[in-house]
Amino acid sequence: MEVWTVVSSVWLTTWTIAVFRTYPIIIKLVGSYEGGKLIVSYKLTHAFIYIVSMFFLCPFVWQLCFFEEPRRKFVLSYVKAIVKETE
């Protein structure tokens, strides 16, 4: 088996797991904020941008696939950035 086959399969698997473990939670949280109504109304556009972005970010955020705490921090900070919430 060639190296590129292994690398591409790990990359695609990590990307798929990261998207499916974070996107549903993000949509549910964004819908509960007043500032997230625009994201909810353009759900397909947001999904496309998120999925494409995660494809390039997946080597750096591989922890989202395996650990609960990094996933929780990522999702909460992503939602706060989208809805422009300040603490």
Side-chain angles (χ1 to χ4, degrees):
M1 199 178 291
E2 292 188 31
V3 173
W4 292 112
T5 305
V6 173
V7 169
S8 63
S9 64
V10 169
W11 190 305
L12 288 174
T13 304
T14 305
W15 171 64
T16 305
I17 293 171
V19 167
F20 282 109
R21 288 197 64 183
T22 57
Y23 187 72
I25 301 168
I26 288 170
I27 287 299
K28 183 185 270 187
L29 288 175
V30 166
S32 67
Y33 287 99
E34 186 176 326
K37 293 195 188 316
L38 183 65
I39 297 297
V40 172
S41 64
Y42 290 103
K43 194 180 289 189
L44 289 177
T45 306
H46 175 250
F48 178 75
I49 292 170
Y50 182 77
I51 289 169
V52 169
S53 300
M54 284 301 286
F55 182 77
F56 295 107
L57 291 175
C58 72
F60 308 109
V61 295
W62 61 269
Q63 299 92 351
L64 302 177
C65 299
F66 304 109
F67 305 113
E68 201 66 35
E69 187 63 24
R71 182 173 62 135
R72 186 183 68 78
K73 286 181 181 179
F74 174 81
V75 167
L76 289 177
S77 60
Y78 183 83
V79 169
K80 286 181 183 178
I82 286 180
V83 298
K84 306 272 192 265
E85 181 182 295
T86 57
E87 292 184 28

